[in-house]
């Protein structure tokens, strides 16, 4: 399970991102200003930090610099500023990726996955009872016997394996299928 720190002063954005990431089994902490973000990052190592640029206290660039003084945890900058200079500045301060607002949650999740993969923190095996799923190879096994699946069937099984014992609403399942399937 990935641990994510979401930093944005817009509480509605934080709430939406948090809900979506938690639905995917991620553990999410939130901060609403630069000072709080630095303190949380010092207290705990996160797999990825989603960091808004425009923050009260210290701005996102300053927070990024401060985190880089004590950690190499991946940082994805979120900003309404789409200019090349802002992107260059964010990357020079140590950000690993950059997303321009407005964005979709699907895009945020894809960026998180890409950053986690580059950092070697993306889980490759999902297990539940006698089921094992090799996420990278897209292979499903039951008691070590390969079970052929389509891409959509595989993604759905992994989603169910990651959410055991939870009653999932139909819309949640359909959204998960749409977000994580490519065919």
């Amino acid at each position: 399970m990935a641990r994510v720190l979401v930093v944005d002063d817009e509480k509605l954005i934080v709430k939406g991102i948090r809900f979506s990431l938690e639905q995917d089994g991620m553990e999410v902490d939130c901060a609403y200003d630069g000072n709080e973000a630095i303190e949380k990052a010092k207290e705990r190592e996160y797999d990825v930090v989603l960091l808004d640029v425009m923050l009260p206290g210290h701005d996102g660039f300053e927070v990024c610099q401060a985190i880089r003084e004590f950690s190499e945890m991946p940082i994805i900058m979120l900003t309404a500023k789409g200019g090349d200079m802002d992107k260059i500045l964010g990357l020079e301060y140590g950000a690993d990726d950059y997303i321009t607002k407005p964005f979709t949650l699907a895009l945020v999740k894809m960026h998180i996955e890409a950053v986690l993969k580059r950092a070697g923190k993306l889980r490759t095996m999902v297990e539940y009872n006698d089921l094992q799923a090799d996420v990278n190879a897209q292979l499903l096994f039951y008691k070590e016997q390969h079970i052929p699946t389509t891409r959509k069937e595989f993604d759905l099984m992994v989603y169910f394996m990651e959410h055991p014992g939870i009653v999932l609403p139909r819309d949640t399942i359909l959204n998960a299928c749409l977000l994580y399937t490519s065919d």
Side-chain angles (χ1 to χ4, degrees), residues 6-171:
V6 179
V7 184
D8 199 312
D9 61 330
E10 294 183 48
K11 294 188 183 211
L12 193 58
I13 289 176
V14 172
K15 183 178 180 181
I17 293 172
R18 178 182 206 155
F19 177 79
S20 183
L21 297 180
E22 285 176 344
Q23 289 295 304
D24 285 352
M26 296 184 201
E27 185 180 333
V28 181
D29 288 337
C30 304
Y32 301 98
D33 63 51
N35 295 326
E36 185 181 11
I38 294 168
E39 288 308 309
K40 287 195 179 222
K42 284 181 180 177
E43 292 170 5
R44 183 170 192 192
E45 182 75 17
Y46 292 94
D47 294 314
V48 66
V49 177
L50 292 176
L51 178 61
D52 186 28
V53 171
M54 304 297 285
L55 293 170
H58 298 290
D59 69 24
F61 298 127
E62 294 169 327
V63 173
C64 186
Q65 276 185 306
I67 290 173
R68 283 295 170 251
E69 289 177 10
F70 60 85
S71 177
E72 289 299 317
M73 65 181 89
I75 298 172
I76 300 173
M77 303 293 284
L78 304 173
T79 186
K81 295 181 173 186
D84 286 344
M85 207 53 216
D86 291 316
K87 291 177 184 176
I88 290 168
L89 193 58
L91 295 170
E92 282 183 353
Y93 283 135
D96 297 279
D97 203 349
Y98 213 97
I99 301 174
T100 305
K101 294 179 182 179
F103 52 77
T104 64
L105 292 173
L107 178 67
V108 171
K109 290 177 185 180
M110 296 302 290
H111 278 264
I112 289 172
E113 185 177 315
V115 167
L116 291 174
K117 194 179 290 184
R118 284 194 301 268
K121 296 183 177 190
L122 194 62
R123 190 172 58 184
T124 59
M125 290 298 290
V126 178
E127 296 184 24
Y128 179 75
N129 292 336
D130 291 328
L131 282 173
Q132 298 91 31
D134 183 332
V135 177
N136 289 340
Q138 298 285 307
L139 298 173
L140 184 66
F141 298 93
Y142 176 72
K143 293 186 178 180
E144 299 183 16
Q145 294 292 322
H146 175 254
I147 301 171
T149 61
T150 65
R151 171 67 191 252
K152 288 181 182 178
E153 290 169 338
F154 179 82
D155 289 342
L156 192 56
M157 284 301 298
V158 169
Y159 188 75
F160 287 142
M161 290 167 68
E162 290 176 334
H163 299 84
I166 299 173
V167 177
L168 298 166
R170 180 181 183 271
D171 289 343

